[in-house]
Amino acid sequence: MKLRAALIQQNSYGDHALVWARTEEAVGQAARGGAELVLLQELHMGAYFCQREDLAVFDEAEPIPGPGSERLGALAARHGIVLVGSLFERRAVGIYHNTAVVFERDGRLIGRYRKMHIPDDPGFYEKFYFTPGDLGFTPIDTSVGRLGVLVCWDQWYPEAARLMTLAGADMLLYPTAIGWDPRDAQAEQQRQREAWELIQRGHAVANGLPVLSCNRCGFEPDPADADGGIQFWGASFACGPQGELLARAGAEPAVLFADIDSGRTESVRRIWPFLRDRRIDAYADLVRRYRD
Amino acid sequence: MKLRAALIQQNSYGDHALVWARTEEAVGQAARGGAELVLLQELHMGAYFCQREDLAVFDEAEPIPGPGSERLGALAARHGIVLVGSLFERRAVGIYHNTAVVFERDGRLIGRYRKMHIPDDPGFYEKFYFTPGDLGFTPIDTSVGRLGVLVCWDQWYPEAARLMTLAGADMLLYPTAIGWDPRDAQAEQQRQREAWELIQRGHAVANGLPVLSCNRCGFEPDPADADGGIQFWGASFACGPQGELLARAGAEPAVLFADIDSGRTESVRRIWPFLRDRRIDAYADLVRRYRD
């Protein structure tokens, strides 16, 4: 069975209305191109706001369901596609999440995933904003398959990919926002981007399933440092169950199409039956912080 | 701190005496080139014998310590290097293992690792020969660092790499024997080789440590099928803690040198503190076969 997916890689255009207009336009383009599954980047509603810790930013969080999810649902329904978005969720006073949301072709919100692994390093102060997810690694059933939706920092964790796989995910999807510090050496930037791609393709190999990763692109200045900012590197990609690249974007905004052959998962898992041979009798220490 | 390592990628030359002579020669070359750590390929004492199930092959298994480990120990002592070899271990009547052995610079056998994940697919009938290891994922302390030695099929398991890392491994080492069926389509062969490399480089990224993988090369016919056999693809490689390639061999026999900068592990783990953020509260299902 073939499934056409599209990844919407965007700049942050600064103005919310403009961002949304571009998103609508790009999703329309994806649907006209035959995509039945559309993946947006992390926190696609605006700028990546975690470059500084700012109390006022919490005003932008919204409940789910709420205005953002309603817009996304309407967009999914308009085009009859399954749509995966990413929102700043206000769950309660003092509890906010970085949440991926999944909409069916008829616009219904049919599932959400709250980012489990939360980063914190210079320029990415996410631990300030986001409470770690408490929904676990639970895939979401849709008309295009069981989606293992994860978010950004999760992509560095083989455990997350594995748990989604063991729960029957047909593919992994990562809305993400990653870039480099333009002041870093070019060789370091290159290593970072390659590491990011290869670990995710590695998840495809380890688990024998396709992976879609949608990153933002463009430069976003650090509001607190005139010289600082993040150059989001784009390079959104899709790969098959042997990690083989199906499509990869450049550093500019793009609607990236990928044709997923879901039958390949089973044929690959037959020749490489990794799931058969896991030594579950010897994995107990995976739940320890360190084996010291 | 810099450490020069060497990977000895070889054909099976058929005759045991010849294989051993070439191994001695190659290890000498590695030592003269400044290597302090030398890694041999899986079951380097001869042909990859698992292409068929043959009772007589068990005669080749040997106790450890035994003749094979004594030879390897003497070789390590002669050159004053840490040497990682791979033997067919006879542990008891009816219990045989695929075992990696580690020797100190003075020739002492200081540790062993019994392959935990055992493959079985056409041409690789390892479940017939090898009892799954029961020593767990335990790194081995040497004068060149704490070595996370794993073997071949283990390389497809992020769990193995993670458990070695959590036990303080400074690097991962894989003696391996992998190749393709020459009758497979070229595109499939290419996908397999790339998948093999990228999942191991992915382990480096996930865990922030160097990975050394030493594969055999050359064609070995299937004794039971005149048209069959395995084309071992070589391509032994070493990468650093961001998965960046340090060295990669071609498809021919090679002594592959790689300079490991052990200081990079700490600097990489500071910028990408993945170990800090593992959601050990949510990983319990990793010890299940499937989450159904």
Side-chain angles (χ1 to χ4, degrees):
Chain A
M1 204 185 75
K2 294 271 189 179
L3 170 70
R4 176 159 289 190
L7 288 62
I8 312 291
Q9 172 176 301
Q10 293 181 286
N11 286 330
S12 171
Y13 303 98
D15 178 85
H16 275 300
L18 188 55
V19 169
W20 182 250
R22 295 277 176 97
T23 302
E24 283 189 309
E25 187 183 307
V27 170
Q29 191 185 327
R32 285 191 301 279
E36 296 178 85
L37 168 64
V38 177
L39 173 62
L40 299 172
Q41 69 203 23
E42 187 182 19
L43 300 171
H44 50 79
M45 290 292 196
Y48 178 73
F49 54 76
C50 310
Q51 290 200 59
R52 80 292 189 197
E53 301 192 353
D54 179 353
L55 292 169
V57 168
F58 288 103
D59 291 340
E60 295 178 26
E62 48 178 312
I64 300 172
S69 69
E70 276 159 29
R71 271 183 164 181
L72 289 167
L75 190 56
R78 190 182 321 156
H79 297 291
I81 53 161
V82 172
L83 180 63
V84 180
S86 164
L87 298 172
F88 183 21
E89 179 183 6
R90 177 189 172 93
R91 182 178 179 185
V93 179
I95 301 183
Y96 307 85
H97 294 285
N98 184 328
T99 301
V101 280
V102 180
F103 303 89
E104 247 312 340
R105 297 173 197 261
D106 59 5
R108 270 179 310 133
L109 173 66
I110 50 162
R112 75 181 77 189
Y113 167 80
R114 293 187 177 126
K115 187 173 182 176
M116 290 285 284
H117 299 97
I118 308 294
D120 193 294
D121 52 273
F124 297 83
Y125 299 106
E126 295 198 17
K127 287 192 194 298
F128 176 68
Y129 294 105
F130 308 127
T131 303
D134 59 349
L135 298 177
F137 301 98
T138 310
I140 296 165
D141 281 316
T142 74
S143 60
V144 295
R146 185 172 287 188
L147 307 184
V149 180
L150 295 160
V151 178
C152 202
W153 194 238
D154 293 321
Q155 69 212 351
W156 303 102
Y157 293 85
E159 293 92 344
R162 183 69 98 199
L163 287 165
M164 285 295 192
T165 303
L166 294 180
D170 292 311
M171 66 189 86
L172 302 178
L173 299 92
Y174 295 93
T176 175
I178 188 165
W180 55 58
D181 184 333
R183 294 166 294 193
D184 274 348
Q186 216 175 348
E188 173 64 20
Q189 295 173 351
Q190 188 75 6
R191 277 194 300 271
Q192 291 185 5
R193 190 174 54 190
E194 288 183 4
W196 171 81
E197 180 180 293
L198 69 86
I199 195 170
Q200 292 176 89
R201 292 172 65 191
H203 299 329
V205 175
N207 297 293
L209 43 60
V211 171
L212 311 179
S213 185
C214 185
N215 191 26
R216 64 172 65 206
C217 60
F219 179 75
E220 298 187 22
D222 179 349
D225 172 4
D227 296 331
I230 301 173
Q231 180 68 46
F232 292 97
W233 63 52
S236 298
F237 70 92
C239 69
Q242 286 174 310
E244 74 279 17
L245 274 179
L246 301 175
R248 185 204 275 141
E252 301 301 317
V255 175
L256 184 72
F257 290 95
D259 290 318
I260 313 283
D261 177 356
S262 62
R264 269 184 57 69
T265 289
E266 181 147 7
S267 59
V268 166
R269 287 187 187 173
R270 286 183 188 182
I271 61 162
W272 282 344
F274 307 144
L275 297 180
R276 179 192 67 189
D277 293 335
R278 294 177 68 241
R279 288 295 305 272
I280 54 174
D281 61 308
Y283 291 168
D285 279 359
L286 288 171
V287 301
R288 292 177 62 183
R289 182 66 62 212
Y290 199 64
R291 301 173 70 195
D292 52 4
Chain B
M1 204 185 72
K2 294 272 189 179
L3 169 70
R4 175 160 289 190
L7 287 63
I8 312 292
Q9 172 176 301
Q10 293 180 286
N11 286 329
S12 171
Y13 304 99
D15 177 85
H16 275 300
L18 187 55
V19 170
W20 181 250
R22 294 275 175 98
T23 302
E24 283 190 308
E25 188 184 307
V27 171
Q29 191 185 328
R32 285 190 302 279
E36 296 178 84
L37 169 64
V38 176
L39 174 62
L40 299 172
Q41 70 204 23
E42 187 183 18
L43 302 171
H44 51 79
M45 290 292 197
Y48 178 75
F49 54 77
C50 310
Q51 290 200 57
R52 81 292 189 197
E53 302 192 352
D54 179 353
L55 293 167
V57 168
F58 288 104
D59 290 340
E60 295 178 25
E62 47 177 313
I64 299 172
S69 69
E70 275 159 29
R71 270 183 165 181
L72 288 167
L75 190 57
R78 189 183 319 155
H79 298 291
I81 53 160
V82 172
L83 180 63
V84 180
S86 165
L87 298 172
F88 183 20
E89 179 184 7
R90 177 189 171 93
R91 182 178 177 185
V93 178
I95 301 183
Y96 307 84
H97 294 286
N98 184 327
T99 302
V101 281
V102 180
F103 302 89
E104 248 311 341
R105 297 173 196 263
D106 59 5
R108 271 178 310 132
L109 172 66
I110 49 163
R112 76 182 73 189
Y113 166 80
R114 292 186 177 126
K115 187 172 182 174
M116 291 286 284
H117 299 96
I118 309 293
D120 193 294
D121 51 273
F124 296 82
Y125 300 106
E126 296 199 17
K127 288 194 195 294
F128 175 68
Y129 293 107
F130 307 128
T131 304
D134 59 348
L135 298 176
F137 301 98
T138 310
I140 296 166
D141 281 316
T142 73
S143 59
V144 295
R146 184 172 286 189
L147 305 185
V149 180
L150 294 160
V151 177
C152 201
W153 194 240
D154 293 321
Q155 71 213 349
W156 302 102
Y157 293 84
E159 293 92 342
R162 183 68 97 200
L163 287 165
M164 286 295 192
T165 302
L166 295 179
D170 293 312
M171 66 190 86
L172 302 178
L173 299 91
Y174 295 93
T176 175
I178 189 166
W180 56 59
D181 184 331
R183 293 166 295 193
D184 275 347
Q186 215 174 349
E188 173 64 20
Q189 296 172 352
Q190 188 74 6
R191 279 195 300 271
Q192 292 185 4
R193 190 174 56 191
E194 287 183 5
W196 172 80
E197 181 180 293
L198 69 85
I199 197 171
Q200 292 177 87
R201 292 173 65 191
H203 300 328
V205 175
N207 297 292
L209 43 61
V211 171
L212 312 179
S213 186
C214 185
N215 190 25
R216 65 172 63 206
C217 59
F219 178 74
E220 298 187 22
D222 179 348
D225 173 3
D227 295 330
I230 302 173
Q231 180 69 45
F232 292 97
W233 62 54
S236 299
F237 70 91
C239 69
Q242 286 174 311
E244 74 279 17
L245 274 180
L246 301 174
R248 184 205 277 141
E252 300 300 318
V255 176
L256 184 73
F257 291 96
D259 290 318
I260 313 282
D261 176 356
S262 61
R264 267 184 58 70
T265 288
E266 181 147 6
S267 59
V268 166
R269 287 187 188 173
R270 286 184 188 180
I271 62 162
W272 282 345
F274 306 144
L275 296 181
R276 179 192 66 190
D277 293 335
R278 293 176 69 240
R279 288 296 303 272
I280 54 175
D281 61 308
Y283 291 167
D285 279 357
L286 289 171
V287 302
R288 292 178 62 183
R289 181 67 62 213
Y290 199 64
R291 301 173 69 194
D292 52 5

